[in-house]
Amino acid sequence: MPTEQQIQAEAAPVFTHRQVLEILAGLMLAMLTSMISTSVVGTALPTIVGTLGGQDQLAWVASATLLTMTASTPIWGKLSDLYGRKLMFQVALVVFLLSSVAAGFSQDMGQLIAARAAQGIGAGGLAALPQIILGDVVEPRERGRYSGYIGAVFGVSTVTGPLLGGFIVDNMSWRWTFWICVPLAVVAFVVIQKVLKLPLVRRDTKIDWWGATFITGGTTALMLLLSLGGKEFGWNSAWTYGLGALSLVLFGLAVVAERKAADPILPPHLFRNHTFVLTSVASLLVGAAMFGALMFLPQYLQIVKGMSPTGSGLMTLPLVLGLLTSSILTGRFVSRTGRWKIFPVVGMLLVAVGLFLLSRLHVDSSLVIVGLDNAVLGIGLGASMQILILAAQNAVTRANLASATSGVSFFRSLGGAVGVAAFGAILSNRLTSELISLAKAAHLPLSGGTVPSLGSPKAIHDLPAPILEIILEAFTRAMSAVFLVGVPIAVLAAVAALMLREIPLRSARTATPAVTADPTAPPVATTDPLTPPASPTDPATPPAVAGRR
């Protein structure tokens, strides 16, 4: 683990407040583009399937993006070390833009799934690189005032996506769910090209192909298991055991490859860093609790409360406002005081409280109560998400900034996939048992085929009153079980945050600037912080070449 003196002594570019805001605008536009695109498509999926067919491949449309996004996240961080943040960010943006256009032109489900997989690769870069770039542009002490806005992008996209998707499906072709974000992506590309000027350090090194292969392969096998288990194949099946074993073997080989690599994608010494390990664990748990709740809450609103997709999207406004307010205020407080540890601890406890309150909802619960519960959940998430990344960035040297940031982002995405899969299995199993139990008590036995295929929310509400009452009560109980399972997960995340050491945040006063953000300034030669100085007995280290991109 690096000492505080090592961390603070590293060179950092200096930017004015206005320059940071300009850069932040481009980063937020790119993030909003990828996040809205993901949530917009969910609303349009029934229409897409109706046009292209392939109901049996529906799960792949959503799973393909999640799979490639999670698998590619750590790779983007290392590529940005080798080829520059700006270039890799723009490459990720172009990959996402072109694959979005291709998805809109898809003529069958196979083409759509392939385009969605490519979208996920671009989205992986757009998820990790903005945090890395912000870490390059602003020192940790000042970063809080800006990182809150990046965290708020998630909340805004959560509401905007379903609303925009509903409008497009009702008034335009479903293909515009993929094309609608193209203008935003173009603007983001132009803004970043104009305002982002970072020092580029080129090094004579080789890409860690073995590490990339094994990390991507292991993640892919695990994501296939989590995304398709219980849908395409049973949990107790040869596919489950085979994919599980394959992921373990590939991750084991990844550990061996990273130990031997000269420039590993996820440096093994990061896992000896107390803060990185705990923030990764906490982020994995945060992802599981957050995505599990956000994925299934709309189902309660649409099935139990009979709301439209647009209405259920509006009902998440309290969550978004809580997340936005909490994220911004937390960031400003951290920048002013330098104290940060209390926020992920209290934030995850609030997430636990919010999930517990949601588990207490009934069929006839007031929408006001639902909104208040959402607000508590949003406040907790806003106080936690960005601070965990900030803590990880602050605890490593600038040389390991990209690896640490993409690593924490990777574990949060992985936690989200685990949460969605686990909560989905709990919901399905609990719903089946509750339906059978309630139907038997009411002397209205349901056939075996009725339980797993209830139909759309509209079809459910068209059922006869006695059956509808049973289904709504069963679904409410199943949802309660899902939210209740999230409570101990959030508490464990709070415990992990409590174990963190509150390392003082670096500021511009403790960092020694080596370059300026002035694009007209001449290139500044720097040594590569990833390469240790040569010892008297070691071969000379090749000089690094610095430029400006």
Side-chain angles (χ1 to χ4, degrees), residues 77-352:
K78 179 52 62 178
L79 289 176
S80 75
D81 275 340
L82 299 177
Y83 302 113
R85 315 282 196 233
K86 178 178 177 178
L87 176 61
M88 287 298 100
F89 182 81
Q90 290 179 318
V91 168
L93 198 54
V94 169
V95 169
F96 186 85
L97 189 153
L98 294 178
S99 57
S100 297
V101 173
F105 282 111
S106 297
Q107 300 301 309
D108 56 49
M109 289 295 280
Q111 294 178 15
L112 179 60
I113 291 168
R116 290 283 286 167
Q119 267 191 317
I121 295 175
L126 297 180
L129 290 174
Q131 301 281 3
I132 298 172
I133 292 172
L134 186 63
D136 283 331
V137 170
V138 186
E139 288 299 327
R141 179 64 181 267
E142 287 75 35
R143 200 174 301 158
R145 64 192 294 199
Y146 303 109
S147 62
Y149 295 104
I150 288 185
V153 171
F154 175 83
V156 172
S157 64
T158 301
V159 172
T160 306
L163 293 178
L164 191 58
F167 175 81
I168 291 173
V169 169
D170 291 340
N171 299 281
M172 306 165 68
S173 167
W174 61 264
R175 299 182 186 277
W176 280 99
T177 59
F178 297 102
W179 296 337
I180 195 69
C181 289
V182 170
L184 280 178
V186 172
V187 172
F189 186 97
V190 173
V191 170
I192 290 299
Q193 176 64 29
K194 179 181 178 181
V195 304
L196 183 59
K197 305 294 180 182
L198 289 174
L200 173 64
V201 178
R202 294 188 180 93
R203 294 179 295 121
D204 183 16
T205 186
K206 295 181 179 179
I207 298 176
D208 178 18
W209 291 112
W210 285 114
T213 300
F214 292 138
I215 290 174
T216 303
T219 305
T220 299
L222 180 59
M223 293 297 296
L224 285 173
L225 172 59
L226 295 173
S227 302
L228 303 180
K231 302 171 187 173
E232 300 295 321
F233 51 82
W235 290 110
N236 186 20
S237 67
W239 277 104
T240 297
Y241 300 126
L243 287 172
L246 178 61
S247 65
L248 289 176
V249 170
L250 290 174
F251 281 135
L253 291 173
V255 172
V256 176
E258 295 300 85
R259 283 181 170 275
K260 293 183 177 181
D263 196 7
I265 291 173
L266 283 176
H269 67 78
L270 282 181
F271 294 92
R272 296 192 295 271
N273 184 307
H274 177 270
T275 301
F276 175 77
V277 171
L278 287 176
T279 52
S280 296
V281 170
S283 294
L284 187 144
L285 296 170
V286 167
M290 175 179 66
F291 286 105
L294 295 180
M295 182 67 68
F296 297 107
L297 182 60
Q299 293 190 38
Y300 167 82
L301 295 170
Q302 293 181 37
I303 293 177
V304 178
K305 309 303 289 186
M307 301 182 73
S308 66
T310 302
S312 65
L314 287 172
M315 275 304 300
T316 61
L317 271 175
L319 185 150
V320 173
L321 292 176
L323 190 152
L324 176 65
T325 304
S326 175
S327 183
I328 293 175
L329 293 180
T330 297
R332 289 188 175 276
F333 183 88
V334 168
S335 291
R336 187 170 65 252
T337 67
R339 305 301 299 271
W340 55 265
K341 178 177 175 179
I342 186 65
F343 293 107
V345 176
V346 173
M348 289 316 302
L349 290 178
L350 285 175
V351 169

Side-chain angles (χ1 to χ4, degrees), residues 297-308 311-312 315 361-370 457 460-461 468 472 475-476:
L297 182 60
Q299 293 190 38
Y300 167 82
L301 295 170
Q302 293 181 37
I303 293 177
V304 178
K305 309 303 289 186
M307 301 182 73
S308 66
S312 65
M315 275 304 300
L361 295 178
H362 303 291
V363 175
D364 56 353
S365 292
S366 166
L367 291 179
V368 174
I369 298 298
V370 177
I460 292 174
H461 282 270
L468 175 61
L472 296 185
F475 195 88
T476 301

Side-chain angles (χ1 to χ4, degrees), residues 36 38 60 81 97 117 162 199 213 233 243 326 400 412 416 435 471 514 536:
I36 285 182
T38 301
W60 280 100
D81 275 340
L97 189 153
T213 300
F233 51 82
L243 287 172
S326 175
N400 291 305
R412 187 168 67 188
L435 279 172
I471 290 177

Side-chain angles (χ1 to χ4, degrees), residues 360-533:
R360 308 293 294 173
L361 295 178
H362 303 291
V363 175
D364 56 353
S365 292
S366 166
L367 291 179
V368 174
I369 298 298
V370 177
L372 291 174
D373 295 349
N374 274 339
V376 174
L377 182 63
I379 292 171
L381 290 173
S384 308
M385 291 169 52
Q386 295 303 113
I387 301 300
L388 290 172
I389 291 180
L390 175 61
Q393 292 177 333
N394 186 61
V396 299
T397 60
R398 187 171 299 279
N400 291 305
L401 178 69
S403 295
T405 305
S406 58
V408 172
S409 300
F410 167 76
F411 284 110
R412 187 168 67 188
S413 296
L414 186 61
V418 172
V420 170
F423 287 6
I426 293 170
L427 178 65
S428 178
N429 294 333
R430 187 63 181 267
L431 179 59
T432 299
S433 63
E434 291 290 348
L435 279 172
I436 294 174
S437 175
L438 290 171
K440 184 177 180 180
H443 305 291
L444 292 172
L446 299 174
S447 64
T450 304
V451 171
S453 56
L454 295 176
S456 66
K458 185 180 183 303
I460 292 174
H461 282 270
D462 288 339
L463 292 171
I467 297 179
L468 175 61
E469 183 179 344
I470 289 174
I471 290 177
L472 296 185
E473 180 62 28
F475 195 88
T476 301
R477 293 185 183 183
M479 288 297 300
S480 295
V482 168
F483 290 130
L484 204 57
V485 168
V487 173
I489 294 176
V491 171
L492 286 175
V495 172
L498 186 63
M499 296 171 65
L500 287 167
R501 290 192 287 266
E502 190 168 26
I503 302 173
L505 296 178
R506 302 193 303 276
S507 69
R509 291 180 297 275
T510 59
T512 304
V515 295
T516 68
D518 182 5
T520 63
V524 178
T526 66
T527 56
D528 183 358
L530 279 177
T531 306

